[in-house]
Every structure is written in C-alpha cells, then in structure tokens.
Amino acid sequence: QIPNISSKVLNLTSIRDQSKLELGAAISTLKGSKALVMDPKLIGLLNLLADPAFLSGCGADKRYELKPEINTDSKNIVYIVRPEVKYMHWITGHVKEHAERGLKKEYSIVFVPRATILCQRVLEEEGVMGSFVISDFPLDIVPFDEDVLSLELASSYKEYLLDGDRTSLFHVAKSLMKLQAMFGTIPIVKGKGHCSRLVMDMIVRMRKEMGEECTVPPEIDSLILLDRDIDTITPMCTQLTYEGLIDEIFTINNNAVFLNEDIVVPPQNQQSAPASAPSSASPPAQIKKVPFPLHSNDKVYSEIRDTNFSVLCGLLNKKAKDIDEYYKMFKQNQSISAIRDYMKKLASYQMEHNSLRIHTCITEQILDVTKSPLFMKGIETEQNLLAGVNLEVAERFIEDCINKKEPIHKVLRLLILYSSTHNGIKPKQLDFFKREVIQTYGCSHILTLNNLEKLGLIRKADLRPSFPSIRKDLHLIVEDLNEQSPNDIAYTYSGYAPLSVRLVQTAIKPNGWRQIDDILKQLPGPTFEEIQPLPQGATTNVKSDRKPITLVYFIGGVTFSEISALRFLSRQDQANRDFIILTTKLINGNTMIDNLVEVFN
Amino acid sequence: IYLQEALSCDPSQLDQRIKAYNKSMEHYHHSKDKEDQVTSKFIDDQIKLEMLQKELETNLQDTFVGISISDTIYKLITMNQAKKAQSIRSEFKVPDKRFWWIKIKALSMMADWEELMKF
C-alpha cells in the first residue's frame, strides 16, 4: 500500500520517516497494548505513512474506525482525530458508557494537526477532560508519490475566501519552512495571488523570528506559489487523462480507488483473499468494494496514468502483447541458463500481468461512461465554452441537465465554467438558472449559490470579457494537437491547455513572467518575484549532473491532470528541470465545490 | 444570513420553519444589494411551497415538506394527482420544458405508456 518514494529527484522518504516517528510517539502516550480508534477521514492518510506492522509495534494491535458506538475489550484506547466538535461528543459518549458499565479504561486523544480550544472546551463542559491524556500529532506534509506532496486540508479554499480564516495559510507557510529546513532555503520565489502573497510574507517573518538557520545547501532552486482562484477554469473541466478520469468517475482518495472485489482479486485465489480492514465494514450481500492502490510503484500504471484516454487502449494492447511474447519465450528456450534468466524476470512479469488485468477492467468501466451520449455532450459543451463559441447551445445543455436532474455538482461545474470563461453570466440568464436550480434541487441551494457568488465563481456579467485575450495570448486552445505523441500540455484536456500550468511554463522561461505582464494583471491577486538571501555558509553547490528542481505549490488544490501536464513539461527537453508538486489538497471539480454545496437532512 | 441555517435544520415543525424563513426574508429584503432582493423572493416562494406541501400532506397522507418543487410535481404525478401537479406548476411558473421532462420521467417510472403516448 505504501508507495516507495525514494525518488530519483528528491529524497522525500525523510519527510515520511519523521512523521512516522511522531505518530509512534503520539500513540505511545498510553503504555501497553491498546486499541487505536481512527477518524474515518484520517485512515487512508495514515495508511500512506505507516503499515499495520508498525502500528502493532507501537502496541496498537486493535484498530477501529471512530463511530458513535464503540465495542472493544481493550483496556487502553487511543483516539486519533481531526479536531471536530462532533467527534468530541462521540468520544464523551464512549467514556460515559464505559463508566456506567463500571469498566475501568485509560483514554488518550491525539489531535491532528493540533487540538483546538473549542474541542477542549467541549470536553471540559462534559466533565470528562480529566479522563484523557491529550497530545498533538502535527501531521502536515504527506508524500503521495515521488513528486507529489499534499497537506490534505480539504476546506482551505473555502476557509480563507469565504470565512476569512487564515489558519490553513499558516499551515502552508509552516510546511514550506519544514521543507526549507530539510532541503535548504529556496533562492528564487515567484508567486501569483492573494494567498501566495500572504504565505510569502509569513515565510519572511518566520525566517526572521527563527534567527539562526541551518545551513543545508539548497537542493530546490525555485518555488512557484499559485492560488487556486487565479485558475478556476481548469478544475471545472472534465479531466481526460487516465488518472484524471479514474478520479472523475470513481474518485481517488489517498492514492487509492475503491473497486469491486472481483476486479482487484485475481480470479483463482478469490476465496483465500484476506479481508482488508475497510471492506469488512461494508454491508454484506452487495459486491464488496476494496481499495486498490494507485501510484508509480505499479509499473504499468506509472506508464499510463498521464496519457490521454484516447490512446490508452492502444497502450494496453501493446503491453499485453509484450507480456504474452515473454510467456511464449519459455517454450523456445531450452538451455538451463536461459531458463534461469527467464525465471528471474518471471515474477515481475506476473506482477505486471496482474496489474494490466486490473487496469483493463478499469478502462472498460470508464469506456462505458465515456461512450455515453450524455458524457460526450458534456465534453463538447465544455470545449465550446472554452473556445467561446455556440453559447446558446451550451446554455440549452445546462438547462437540460437541470431538467433531467443530473447531479447538482455537474450543473454547478458547468455554470462556473460558463461564468469564468465569459466574465460572468448575463443577468437575466443567471436569474433564470438560479431559479431553475432552486426549484429542482431544493431551497438549501439558495445558500450554495450565495457561496459561489461570494467567491466570484459565479457572477453577473459586467465588464468586457477578458478571457478571450488570455486564451489567445497564452495559447490555451491548441488546434493541431497530436494525441498519439503529444506535443503540448493541452493533450491532458484534449485541446485545452490548463491555464495554471501555462503560467508555470512561462515562469520557467528565461524572461519569465515579465513578458506576460499584461495577462497577469488581468488575473486576480498580486504578482511577485523575490530572491531569498541564503543563510551564511549555505553555498549553492547544486550538483551539475542533476536537473534543477522547481517546487510548485498550488494553494487551494490541484487536479491530477494538472500534475500530468507538469510531468509532461519536465520530460520536455526545453524545460530541463524537474517539478515537485505540493498542494493543500488533491482535488477535482466535484471535490473542489463540495464544501460549498449546502445540503440539509 | 445564517438565519437561514436555523430554518433548514428544523425538522417537521412547520410553524418554526416559517418563522425563521420570514426573518431571513426580511433580512434580505431590507438589504440594499440587488442580489439579496432576488434571494428574498426565492425564500418567499419557499414559504408558499411549504404551506402548499403541508396542505398536500393532510390531504394525501404522505410526506412532502422538504422536497423541491420539481420533486413535488414528480411525486404528485406518480400519485395520479395530475391536477394538483398542474396547479403547482402554474403557481411557481415552472417552464414547459422542465415540466415535460418531469412528466415523462414520472410516467415512464409508473410504466403508464398510454398517458405517455398522448404527448
């Protein structure tokens, strides 16, 4: 399950090891064997850090998901949770119930990343504060892959922009300080957006307050900070890379996708398959859903994850032929040494074979969706909105979606895309859409629409639209795209180049952002370029045999397709650098607006 | 603005709900922002809807409060209450197109092919 991340670019294992140590220390606050009760939202994340063996080593031999009821015979219970008031009430319930039944137990709560006053207050008022050993587990950066790191703060975008809450920005700054302590001060910083500016200011202040700095030679040569709200267009479009589509259709959480068991477990040993932890909780009678890990340690996956879906079938086919050829080779080879060589590689080929079988199944299921007329019509509408043509057709399609009561997320994504590509929606049209949405999906969406308007995701058309000039100057629509062997990042969306990644692409050019000054002015938030003075003693002895590394920080989330586009850039010769991607959350259009959609009962 | 939250959380206590709706409507209505005026109209509609739904509940012995206008029409058609569905439609000025969609969906759900053919 845990990806191997001792990457060729930057050694990220040390980040994980440090978190693992801290986790171990937090769990060990209670001595002896104990039950570990985990926040459902954290389980997947903790799985990326530590395997069951490690947790058992810390004495946590029983592990549960946190629920309103608890059923364990362990004498010691360690809760590991995000600081949410709801959980405090659940936990208080457990303690009181145990007390009523005359059970004597020891309790501890580990807060991730740290306890809030509100949570402590709840425990105090319930009169159970004294029963707990309370500690913090400052989990911040979680490595997801060789080149992807995330803080997994789901609501940071909303918290800052809607509620004016800067806590998550503080975590962003802290995470950068941590990286700089490990890999050296990053000399060049470029940024765009309000959040980026604030984070930069925080870093400068934190460096001053720290006084003395460690003198690690800088391994990362530049940092690019980008706010999500300078590009709200890209996440609203349907991702068309393999990984992106898996995320759009099945949703990827913490590097894993939940699939029907008959896909993941090889047919011959289905009976003996060990039941994994999350699946045992799912209701019986139905087909079990089991998590399937997705990361670059899976050789087949690492080759196909970033490709456009249209070329996928061909690739899978070729791969299958390769493996078949290898199996056939056995019949021809007769000499002992040849057989020995053959056997050496056999295991890895069998692994590839299995993974290929699973990915073919996934591809089949995706094809079922992408072949449907509704899906194609949706893509067409997106492309029309991006290109700024056939607006009436797009409007009619959105109306139809509402009439058919398609998922609300889909409708809102299209409306946001419409608004952000056309600098707003005509007032009359907007009022019409609002009424349709509310009458169809219920009145709680009065609030949803209010949220979206406050964030500027949906707005009334006012000025002359600025998107056409941005589209032209940044060459966002690529007509002569070669899908077989892509020549531009636009392949990730079959013809549309993600705005965010275009900005990164220009930032690393010799003249940088200066040549697109006019465009940057049209996007929200300040633009800045700064040079961080290196601490004395830290010399720039970047090894010349290695490409320079740029850290790209997406504040407010990044999609899988954008990651694919950046990987594509680093493979291009002209870029001649590697990218490490850090974000507050891995998102897609649905998850991005998820915490803006208000639902009651 | 958060007045609205209070109302939506309230369960079947209609009086309380309406009271909360009225409060938030006033709040929006007195705002100078044009957007908020629009919002206050939406809430006004919602009050009307829930009153009607309450009436339906007593007449038809089924739950209605809490579902949207489209869903109400859908439910009424599946319950063979086409007339009541029509009156909701005209009350809230539901566009023809959407009404047809709802009707087609509801009729095919009931497998009422005869009625469907009449279109």
Side-chain angles (χ1 to χ4, degrees), chain A residues 234-411:
Chain A
T234 306
M236 293 307 132
C237 301
T238 308
Q239 308 173 66
L240 295 175
T241 56
Y242 179 51
E243 188 167 39
L245 269 171
I246 297 180
D247 188 35
E248 294 280 347
I249 297 171
F250 306 107
T251 66
I252 300 176
N253 263 320
N254 306 310
N255 266 6
V257 61
F258 278 81
L259 297 171
N260 290 345
E261 194 180 26
D262 52 337
I263 296 181
V264 180
V265 182
Q268 59 269 32
N269 51 5
Q270 210 142 36
Q271 264 84 30
S272 59
S276 50
S279 64
S280 59
S282 66
Q286 273 178 12
I287 301 172
K288 263 200 228 157
K289 296 266 183 193
V290 292
F292 175 65
L294 295 171
H295 48 70
S296 50
N297 291 168
D298 177 340
K299 252 177 85 189
V300 176
Y301 187 58
S302 76
E303 275 175 46
I304 57 175
R305 67 194 304 187
D306 299 322
T307 54
N308 185 290
F309 193 67
S310 60
V311 298
L312 190 62
C313 289
L315 275 176
L316 286 173
N317 205 323
K318 189 173 158 285
K319 202 92 211 148
K321 273 192 191 137
D322 284 354
I323 294 174
D324 191 46
E325 210 112 284
Y326 189 76
Y327 284 156
K328 272 187 196 148
M329 225 161 71
F330 184 61
K331 287 178 188 144
Q332 295 152 9
N333 274 332
Q334 294 305 332
S335 79
I336 297 292
S337 68
I339 291 179
R340 201 183 52 211
D341 278 356
Y342 180 86
M343 293 316 267
K344 255 191 227 153
K345 282 191 207 149
L346 187 63
S348 88
Y349 267 95
Q350 274 172 336
M351 249 169 66
E352 276 189 44
H353 182 177
N354 187 40
S355 126
L356 186 67
R357 189 183 53 75
I358 295 170
H359 287 296
T360 315
C361 286
I362 300 176
T363 309
E364 255 172 35
Q365 291 196 2
I366 294 178
L367 266 177
D368 281 346
V369 177
T370 52
K371 268 190 308 198
S372 72
L374 194 65
F375 182 86
M376 310 243 262
K377 198 89 200 291
I379 300 285
E380 196 190 313
T381 306
E382 285 172 11
Q383 308 257 6
N384 281 345
L385 286 172
L386 287 167
V389 294
N390 289 344
L391 189 58
E392 285 97 58
V393 183
E395 282 170 352
R396 220 175 309 137
F397 179 73
I398 299 175
E399 193 192 333
D400 279 351
C401 283
I402 302 173
N403 287 344
K404 286 186 228 163
K405 211 175 174 188
E406 291 285 314
I408 178 91
H409 286 81
K410 184 176 171 184
V411 172

Side-chain angles (χ1 to χ4, degrees), chain B residues 54-102:
Chain B
K54 183 83 190 167
E55 223 178 283
L56 290 173
E57 281 187 359
T58 40
N59 288 340
L60 298 172
Q61 308 292 322
D62 207 334
T63 49
F64 277 98
V65 177
I67 64 176
S68 73
I69 294 174
S70 291
D71 290 346
T72 309
I73 297 176
Y74 177 83
K75 199 165 178 179
L76 284 170
I77 297 178
T78 56
M79 291 168 82
N80 282 319
Q81 300 283 343
K83 249 195 200 149
K84 290 206 170 75
Q86 280 290 352
S87 77
I88 296 265
R89 172 201 180 184
S90 47
E91 174 77 38
F92 296 102
K93 301 194 189 76
V94 173
D96 288 348
K97 236 198 200 167
R98 175 144 55 93
F99 185 75
W100 298 133
W101 271 110
I102 299 168

